[in-house]
Amino acid sequence: MTSHFLFQAVIYLLAAVVAVPVAKRLGLGSVLGYLIAGVVIGPSLFNLVGQVEDVQHFAEFGVVMMLFVVGLELRPSLLWRLRGPILGTGSAQVILTAAAASGVALMCGQSWPVAVTIGLTLAMSSTAIVIQSLAERNVLNTRGGQACFSVLLFQDIAVIPILALLPWLARANGSQISQPTGHGHESALAHFPPWAQSLITLGAVVAVVIVAHYFLRYVFRYVAAAKLRELFTAVALLVVAGVAYMMQLVGLSAALGTFIAGVVLAESEYRHQLEADVEPFKGLLLGLFFIAVGAGLNLSLVLAQPGLIAALTIGLIGLKFIILLGIGMAFRLGWGSSFLFACALAQGGEFCFVLLGMAGQQGLMSSDTAGPLSAAIALSMALT
C-alpha cells in the first residue's frame, strides 16, 4: 500500500515537472500544462495512477487555500468598494447564463428540474484557472481582471444556495435519492429542523468572523514570540483546515469559509507572513488539482461521442462568451476589457464537478447526462 502511494506521488510530481515547463515555454501557461500532464498519466492514456477520485478530493484543498490567500489580499474596505461589480456583473452573469443554458436543456428534452440544474451548474467558471492565468499575465488588477474577480466571487457565494436548492429540485423531479458515496456533501445538520439549520449555519459564519478578528491575532502573536517558522506555518495550515472543516460540517462551501477568514485576517499585522507560509502549499495542491482534473477526463467517452462532446464544449464556451461580452459592454468595461472578461470566464469550473456529483447523489441526473457534461466542462477548462 505504501509503495503504491509513493509510486503515485512520484508519477504526479514527475508529470508536473516535465509538462509544466514545456507548456510555459510554448506560451500555454502552467494550468494547461498540469491538465495535459493529467491526461497523459490518467486512465484514458497510460493509466499510471489508477483511479483519481481520492486524489481529486484531496487536491480540492488547493482551491480552498487559494481563496484563503485571495481573501488575505482583500481588505474589507476594498471588498466594500467592489460591492457594485460583485452584485451587478456577478448576478447578471449567473442569472443570464443559467437561464440560457436551462432553455437549451429544455429544448433538448430535459425535464425542467434537470434543465435548471444544468443551467445553474454551467453558470459556474473556474476560479482556480482564471485567477492563476490572469495573475501569470499580470492583468488581474486591470479593469477586466477586477470584473472577472467580482464575478468569480459572486459565483463562489452562489454555490451555497444552489446546493441547498438541489434537494428541492430532486423532489420536484420525482427522483429517488441515492446513497452517499463516501465523498458526499451531506451536512451534519441534516436531522435538524430547517430553522435550526439556518441558525446554526449563520452562527458558524459569525463564529469564523469573531474568532478570526478577535482571537487569532493573539494566537499568532504568541506563536511569533516562539520564533519558530515551522510552527507559524503549522498554525496557518490549521486555520485553513479548521475553518474548511467547520464549514463542511454545517453544509457550507469550505472555499467560502476560508475566503471569509482571509478577508477578516487581511487587516492583521501577520497577513504577509500568513500569505508567504500558505503560498507554497496552495501552488502545489492547485497543481495536483489540475492534474487530477486532466486525469479524470474520460477520453473513451469523448472518442465514442465526439460530435456530442464537441457540440457541448463549443456551445458552452460560445454561449457564455456571448453573454459575458454583452454584460461587459452593458457595464461599460470597454471592448478590450470586455473581450478579456468574456475569454477568461467562458468555461466550466471546479464547482461544476461538485454540483454534478451532488445532483447524481440526489438522483436528479443520470450518468448518461452527467458524463458528457463533465467531459465538456473539463475540455472547456483546458481550452481557456
Side-chain angles (χ1 to χ4, degrees):
M1 187 69 178
T2 303
S3 61
H4 177 67
F5 172 77
L6 290 175
F7 176 74
Q8 282 192 317
V10 169
I11 293 298
Y12 274 104
L13 292 172
L14 182 62
V17 168
V18 172
V20 174
V22 172
K24 292 201 73 172
R25 185 165 298 222
L26 295 174
L28 300 177
S30 62
V31 173
L32 190 53
Y34 285 123
L35 289 171
I36 293 172
V39 171
V40 171
I41 67 175
S44 296
L45 281 184
F46 294 105
N47 195 22
L48 298 176
V49 291
Q51 297 299 316
V52 298
E53 284 80 5
D54 291 337
V55 173
Q56 188 160 348
H57 283 283
F58 173 74
E60 285 171 0
F61 195 58
V63 180
V64 172
M65 282 192 165
M66 183 196 67
L67 284 175
F68 178 71
V69 173
V70 169
L72 286 174
E73 297 173 351
L74 271 184
R75 294 180 304 279
S77 57
L78 176 60
L79 193 60
W80 178 252
R81 196 165 70 245
L82 289 173
R83 68 189 185 280
I86 291 171
L87 294 176
T89 57
S91 61
Q93 185 275 325
V94 170
I95 293 171
L96 293 177
T97 304
S102 298
V104 173
L106 280 173
M107 289 189 291
C108 292
Q110 298 290 345
S111 63
W112 75 263
V114 175
V116 170
T117 302
I118 292 173
L120 292 171
T121 299
L122 298 183
M124 300 294 109
S125 302
S126 175
T127 301
I129 286 180
V130 175
I131 296 294
Q132 187 156 329
S133 297
L134 295 182
E136 285 180 355
R137 290 160 178 78
N138 295 317
V139 292
L140 187 57
N141 291 322
T142 64
R143 194 175 180 189
Q146 288 296 298
C148 290
F149 176 79
S150 299
V151 169
L152 291 168
L153 180 54
F154 185 89
Q155 289 179 1
D156 292 338
I157 296 172
V159 168
I160 298 169
I162 293 173
L163 285 171
L165 185 64
L166 290 183
W168 181 82
L169 289 172
R171 287 193 295 270
N173 197 48
S175 305
Q176 295 296 320
I177 299 177
S178 61
Q179 294 299 317
T181 61
H183 293 293
H185 300 272
E186 184 179 3
S187 170
L189 310 180
H191 303 294
F192 286 85
W195 64 268
Q197 292 185 34
S198 301
L199 284 178
I200 295 173
T201 300
L202 180 61
V205 175
V206 172
V208 168
V209 174
I210 292 176
V211 170
H213 185 71
Y214 293 104
F215 179 68
L216 285 182
R217 65 176 61 188
Y218 298 107
V219 173
F220 291 135
R221 191 173 300 163
Y222 174 77
V223 172
K227 297 182 180 179
L228 290 173
R229 176 69 180 270
E230 63 273 18
L231 186 59
F232 200 96
T233 302
V235 172
L237 293 176
L238 177 62
V239 169
V240 177
V243 171
Y245 179 68
M246 186 171 72
M247 290 296 102
Q248 285 193 335
L249 277 181
V250 298
L252 292 180
S253 164
L256 177 65
T258 51
F259 172 79
I260 293 172
V263 171
V264 176
L265 290 171
E267 301 287 357
S268 168
E269 62 268 33
Y270 299 104
R271 173 172 69 94
H272 297 294
Q273 183 69 43
L274 282 168
E275 190 173 352
D277 286 342
V278 171
E279 186 70 31
F281 296 95
K282 180 208 78 171
L284 183 61
L285 287 173
L286 267 183
L288 184 60
F289 172 80
F290 292 130
I291 293 177
V293 169
L297 181 60
N298 191 343
L299 288 184
S300 60
L301 177 63
V302 175
L303 295 175
Q305 299 176 301
L308 174 62
I309 304 299
L312 286 173
T313 305
I314 295 171
L316 170 61
I317 294 175
L319 181 67
K320 294 185 78 169
F321 181 87
I322 292 171
I323 291 172
L324 287 162
L325 190 63
I327 291 173
M329 296 307 297
F331 281 85
R332 300 179 181 179
L333 294 180
W335 274 108
S337 295
S338 296
F339 191 76
L340 171 67
F341 178 64
C343 285
L345 297 174
Q347 83 287 113
E350 48 275 357
F351 281 123
C352 292
F353 301 112
V354 174
L355 293 173
L356 287 177
M358 181 68 171
Q361 290 175 23
Q362 296 291 331
L364 185 56
M365 194 177 299
S366 67
S367 58
D368 292 338
T369 302
L373 284 174
S374 295
I377 290 164
L379 284 173
S380 72
M381 291 169 73
L383 288 170
T384 300

